[in-house]
């Protein structure tokens, strides 16, 4: 209001009209012929979209796939998000410094409060589980079931929990409970993987090692794209429930499940005993439930947009591509030539060569 007042005061006063002045004559111009292009009331409006689909489509137009997009939604765009996209220009140095600080604090807290037998409660937790049975197979299966119930249960309650305490607080709670249970399960598997009954022995067969190595390597490329959003994982950025559509999602809608199955089959084949079978049964069962639960949560959040994505994709790898529901862009490979997959390649190779170090660290714990 003050700015309008200043403009009004700064304007020159109007010129006074003479007392006797001629009335201006206005000539009416001929009207153009009626045309629907010039008459907005006659232009047909596009059909209204449901609000969730409209919001998702508006976001999809801002984030386009490298190789284009599927065409089934009628406008040549994506209804989901572009997975594994990482642009250096969008990154904040302060956010990544904050992430480094959080990661260091989490590792220290995990060691003091859970891993260290002198100060942590991890050993007592494992002793309580192991008191149920002397069988390593039973304990292994129980550990995977406990982790699965907590992990999937908290994922199911995520929407309600976020409304109560907020997205970041719920992510911290989720990670704070899930991470110690995951570490215990992994360490127990490493320490007892050869304690079960030997069912087969194929390690001496030529080509088996190469098959297991290649299968394990490939399995990590099936990580769910949300895993790459490290700033959201650490709650530096506000966590979101993403609906991804490009990259690995074109091959299978549930890459985490497929990757876990590949990893379990490869390691069970190599180890060949009952403990490996028990671990694989628990992990595969957990991921099968997670696939169903993930579809349910996405359908609840995104509605019709998820139904469109569901028609374009498949649970079984390559099924939607084979039957023509998924049309790969000509430059589809570019959706994998991205920094997250470069990092996955380096970390997977590093983990393979660090196996002796990982095993030595696990053996130091009385788990």
């Amino acid at each position: 209001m003050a700015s309008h007042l200043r403009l009004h005061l700064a304007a020159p006063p109007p010129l006074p009209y003479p007392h006797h002045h001629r009335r201006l004559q206005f000539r009416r111009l001929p009207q153009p012929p009626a045309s629907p292009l010039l008459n907005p009331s006659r232009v047909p409006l596009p059909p209204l979209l449901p609000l969730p689909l409209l919001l998702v489509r508006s976001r999809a137009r801002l984030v386009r796939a490298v190789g284009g997009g599927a065409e089934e939604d009628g406008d040549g765009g994506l209804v989901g998000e572009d997975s594994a996209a990482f642009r250096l220009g969008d990154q904040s140095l302060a956010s990544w410094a904050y992430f480094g600080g959080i990661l260091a604090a989490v590792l220290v807290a995990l060691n003091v409060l859970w891993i260290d037998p002198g100060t942590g409660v991890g050993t007592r937790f494992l002793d309580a589980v192991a008191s149920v049975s002397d069988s390593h197979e039973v304990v292994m299966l129980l550990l995977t079931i406990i982790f699965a119930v907590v992990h999937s249960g908290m994922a199911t309650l995520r929407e309600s929990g976020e409304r109560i305490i907020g997205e970041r607080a719920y992510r911290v709670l989720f990670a704070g409970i899930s991470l110690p249970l995951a570490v215990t399960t992994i360490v127990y598997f490493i320490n007892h993987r050869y304690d079960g009954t030997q069912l087969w022995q194929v390690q001496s067969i030529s080509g088996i090692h190469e098959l297991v190595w290649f299968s394990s390597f490939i399995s990590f490329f099936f990580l769910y794209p949300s895993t790459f959003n490290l700033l959201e994982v650490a709650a530096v950025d506000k966590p979101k429930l993403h609906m991804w559509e490009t990259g690995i999602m074109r091959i299978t809608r549930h890459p985490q499940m497929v990757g876990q199955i590949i990893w379990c089959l490869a390691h069970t084949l190599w180890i060949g005993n009952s403990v490996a079978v028990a671990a694989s049964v628990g992990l595969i069962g957990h991921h099968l439930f997670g696939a169903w639960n993930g579809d349910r949560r996405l359908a609840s959040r995104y509605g019709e947009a998820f139904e469109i994505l569901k028609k374009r994709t498949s649970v079984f790898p390559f099924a939607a591509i084979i039957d023509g529901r998924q049309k790969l862009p000509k430059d589809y490979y570019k959706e994998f030539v991205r920094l997250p997959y470069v990092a996955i390649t380096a970390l997977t190779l590093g983990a393979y060569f660090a196996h002796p170090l990982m095993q030595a660290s696990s053996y130091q714990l009385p788990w």
Side-chain angles (χ1 to χ4, degrees), residues 291-307:
W292 172 83
N293 196 35
D295 277 357
R296 184 193 61 81
R297 294 168 59 212
L298 288 174
S300 175
R301 174 68 64 88
Y302 290 99
E304 186 180 346
F306 174 70
E307 295 304 320

Side-chain angles (χ1 to χ4, degrees), residues 11-33:
L15 294 175
Y17 288 109
H19 293 287
H20 302 286
H21 58 278
R22 297 175 60 185
R23 185 175 181 179
L24 297 178
Q25 299 294 328
F26 294 95
R27 184 178 182 183
R28 184 180 298 274
L29 296 177
Q31 295 294 328

Side-chain angles (χ1 to χ4, degrees), residues 129-355:
V129 176
S131 65
V132 175
S133 174
D134 294 331
S135 168
H136 294 301
E137 294 85 352
V138 172
V139 175
M140 185 76 256
L141 189 58
L142 284 176
L143 288 174
T144 58
I145 291 174
I146 292 171
F147 171 78
V149 170
V150 171
H151 192 270
S152 293
M154 294 194 71
T156 302
L157 298 174
R158 175 178 175 177
E159 190 171 355
S160 301
E162 288 179 345
R163 283 198 299 265
I164 297 173
I165 63 176
E167 292 89 344
R168 287 187 172 90
Y170 193 80
R171 175 54 58 87
V172 171
L173 179 65
F174 180 87
I177 298 176
S178 299
L179 185 58
L181 296 177
V183 170
T184 302
T185 305
I186 293 171
V187 171
Y188 189 86
F189 174 75
I190 293 175
N191 289 352
H192 299 280
R193 67 192 187 281
Y194 286 114
D195 289 345
T197 302
Q198 198 68 34
L199 304 175
W200 59 79
Q201 179 58 259
V202 297
Q203 295 183 5
S204 60
I205 299 177
S206 177
I208 292 295
H209 178 270
E210 290 74 14
L211 174 63
V212 171
W213 185 93
F214 181 76
S215 299
S216 301
F217 179 77
I218 290 297
S219 70
F220 285 94
F221 284 86
F222 283 85
L223 284 172
Y224 196 68
S226 291
T227 310
F228 304 141
N229 290 9
L230 296 179
L231 296 181
E232 289 188 24
V233 172
V236 176
D237 290 345
K238 183 181 292 187
K240 304 178 183 66
L241 179 61
H242 294 275
M243 186 174 71
W244 306 106
E245 186 171 3
T246 63
I248 195 66
M249 306 300 290
R250 298 184 189 272
I251 296 176
T252 171
R253 192 168 66 252
H254 293 289
Q256 189 84 17
M257 179 197 71
V258 174
Q260 187 66 70
I261 291 175
I262 293 173
W263 187 93
C264 286
L265 293 179
H267 281 72
T268 302
L269 174 65
W270 179 256
I271 297 172
N273 66 21
S274 53
V275 171
V277 171
S280 294
V281 168
L283 289 173
I284 292 175
H286 167 46
H287 282 77
L288 289 174
F289 173 81
W292 172 83
N293 196 35
D295 277 357
R296 184 193 61 81
R297 294 168 59 212
L298 288 174
S300 175
R301 174 68 64 88
Y302 290 99
E304 186 180 346
F306 174 70
E307 295 304 320
I308 294 174
L309 183 140
K310 190 175 180 181
K311 293 177 182 177
R312 297 176 181 174
T313 56
S314 62
V315 176
F316 195 83
F318 299 102
I321 299 173
I322 294 172
D323 62 24
R325 291 182 289 119
Q326 175 64 238
K327 299 177 177 62
L328 297 180
K330 293 180 180 179
D331 51 357
Y332 173 57
Y333 71 92
K334 290 184 179 179
E335 295 180 4
F336 289 92
V337 186
R338 296 179 173 182
L339 185 58
Y341 286 110
V342 175
I344 286 297
T345 302
L347 291 173
T348 303
L349 293 174
Y352 172 74
F353 291 109
H355 263 51

